[in-house]
Amino acid sequence: MTITYDPYRLTALLKDLVELDSTVGYYPQIHAWLRDWLEARGYQMTVDHKATAYVKVPGQSSQKTVCLGAHLDTIGLIVRGFNEDGTLRVRQLGGINYHSLEGETCRVHCRDGRTLDGQVICNKHSVHVFEECRTTPRDEDNMSVSLIADVKDPEDARGLGVTQGAIVSIDPHFQAFDNGYIVSRHIDDKGAVAVLLDLLDQLAQVGQKPAYDTLFAFPIYEEIGHGGAYVPDEVDEYVALDITLLGPDYDGDEHSVGVIVSDHKGPYDWDLSNQLIRCAQEACDEGRWNTQVCFHYSTDANAAYVLGNNLRSGAFGMACLNTHGRERCHVDALVQTQKLAYAYLMGKGAQVASA
């Protein structure tokens, strides 16, 4: 048996993942599912005090330890208070674009374990009621969560279990189209998680070891900038799998994988990035990979690097349209990302470090 790149398998796994709520800092659902999924394939999941989940896979060599990371957390909201009518005042968790959330359904995860259905609304929500509906800014001062329940005041909401600090998860509305396009919230970064989990599944099935001892990492705080702040001391290289971008200054399209050589924190490691480029040249289909300098963006790998961990950083991932909204990519981008991940995992593209 050999490793295969199956678009249907990746799409199904992505659907399972995006439908599990894992807003920044909220990990009970995703960790329970992930632990069961991994144990069914013979892997042991560990979790550190930052709620990063890990799977360690022995390599053909213990000369170094590499880390492949994909974050589990998604953007969302947190309850900060109550309006007089019982709607919930919120703050963003991650880079929310409120314009993309208006009217969206959601779930409110209460601190006592209850989960309530809700809807994100503008406080001036109707053109039939509010003359200023069209001109009201869509921001934290004007957007709220309305519980889908009989709530008329803050006490009604509190009676259902809502307190400050309840976390709000936005519905993904996953759609897979016959031509391979996928539209859903939270492709960032569940697409990359699907790529790594499918590789773990196949490695177990074929009995293959990666080139080096490998730590698969799944952080839960990437969207607020510190998922990779802590990395185990054994890690020599941290490569983050995350979305890449489309638009002016960005090559590629929704079928491609991008190697991120720099982001708003600065450049990634020269030699490791060049290795990833050589892996892409060797493993990816022609015209289906590119390099990127990302301006309003960073990853756990560069967070780990700039926060003082003694490691080399690199990053790549599937191209995605409408990031941090209802996102869109083609399953080809997942396949190309998986080809690049497998090439790196097997030690391809290695070269003696430059002087």
Side-chain angles (χ1 to χ4, degrees):
M1 292 179 64
T2 58
I3 297 294
T4 59
Y5 305 102
D6 187 331
Y8 301 102
R9 195 170 62 224
L10 287 170
T11 301
L13 188 50
L14 173 57
K15 182 177 188 294
D16 288 343
L17 287 163
V18 299
E19 291 178 350
L20 290 163
D21 289 342
S22 58
T23 303
V24 178
Y26 178 75
Y27 47 80
Q29 286 186 26
I30 195 76
H31 276 185
W33 180 92
L34 185 59
R35 190 181 299 278
D36 289 344
W37 192 95
L38 290 166
E39 288 180 353
R41 289 153 180 81
Y43 292 109
Q44 180 181 6
M45 177 178 126
T46 61
V47 181
D48 67 17
H49 295 307
K50 275 183 66 67
T52 298
Y54 298 101
V55 178
K56 187 167 185 180
V57 180
Q60 301 169 37
S61 169
S62 296
Q63 180 181 356
K64 63 180 179 180
T65 297
V66 303
C67 178
L68 280 172
H71 65 90
L72 296 173
D73 57 309
T74 64
I75 58 175
L77 304 167
I78 189 165
V79 176
R80 60 172 169 141
F82 302 87
N83 296 313
E84 291 183 1
D85 62 357
T87 56
L88 311 179
R89 298 169 62 221
V90 293
R91 290 209 184 278
Q92 65 176 344
L93 292 174
I96 287 287
N97 176 359
Y98 280 102
H99 293 81
S100 78
L101 292 186
E102 186 170 2
E104 190 64 270
T105 49
C106 60
R107 281 165 302 285
V108 180
H109 301 285
C110 302
R111 294 285 166 168
D112 65 3
R114 282 183 274 185
T115 298
L116 307 172
D117 294 314
Q119 184 179 20
V120 183
I121 62 167
C122 178
N123 296 339
K124 307 294 185 182
H125 51 76
S126 173
V127 295
H128 297 108
V129 180
F130 302 101
E131 184 175 349
E132 64 271 42
C133 174
R134 291 186 178 89
T135 58
T136 297
R138 270 52 178 175
D139 57 24
E140 289 186 352
D141 293 327
N142 293 290
M143 300 292 286
S144 302
V145 168
S146 176
L147 295 173
I148 301 175
D150 293 328
V151 173
K152 304 299 182 185
D153 56 39
E155 289 310 306
D156 287 341
R158 289 189 179 101
L160 294 173
V162 182
T163 61
Q164 286 89 343
I167 286 182
V168 180
S169 297
I170 309 301
D171 276 333
H173 297 299
F174 179 94
Q175 286 182 271
F177 295 83
D178 291 342
N179 61 2
Y181 278 94
I182 299 166
V183 178
S184 178
R185 294 188 187 275
H186 316 321
I187 294 173
D188 174 15
D189 192 31
K190 300 294 181 68
V193 176
V195 163
L196 291 186
L197 291 184
D198 187 65
L199 275 179
L200 279 166
D201 191 7
Q202 293 196 70
L203 289 174
Q205 290 184 45
V206 304
Q208 188 174 30
K209 289 184 177 182
Y212 301 99
D213 291 346
T214 302
L215 197 63
F216 291 81
F218 303 97
I220 200 74
Y221 293 101
E222 189 276 345
E223 293 291 3
I224 55 174
H226 64 84
Y230 168 78
V231 178
D233 289 340
E234 66 192 284
V235 174
D236 298 290
E237 298 175 2
Y238 192 136
V239 175
L241 276 67
D242 211 331
I243 54 166
T244 53
L245 309 177
L246 298 172
D249 295 320
Y250 298 105
D251 292 332
D253 55 28
E254 291 158 273
H255 299 268
S256 63
V257 58
V259 177
I260 303 167
V261 295
S262 185
D263 64 28
H264 88 264
K265 288 186 171 74
Y268 290 76
D269 182 77
W270 178 267
D271 286 319
L272 180 54
S273 295
N274 287 345
Q275 180 183 353
L276 294 174
I277 290 169
R278 289 189 294 271
C279 284
Q281 291 170 331
E282 180 177 339
C284 297
D285 296 339
E286 185 176 356
R288 293 292 171 86
W289 69 274
N290 59 85
T291 59
Q292 297 205 346
V293 173
C294 300
F295 307 132
H296 307 289
Y297 173 100
S298 194
T299 72
D300 280 325
N302 234 9
Y305 187 64
V306 302
L307 290 171
N309 292 279
N310 183 24
L311 47 74
R312 291 174 289 277
S313 65
F316 64 88
M318 58 281 165
C320 192
L321 183 72
N322 199 37
T323 55
H324 280 200
R326 193 151 176 262
E327 298 163 333
R328 191 178 89 185
C329 77
H330 194 281
V331 70
D332 287 349
L334 300 181
V335 169
Q336 299 303 318
T337 300
Q338 190 170 50
K339 289 181 176 182
L340 178 48
Y342 180 64
Y344 169 72
L345 191 65
M346 300 312 296
K348 304 295 185 182
Q351 183 171 296
V352 177
S354 61

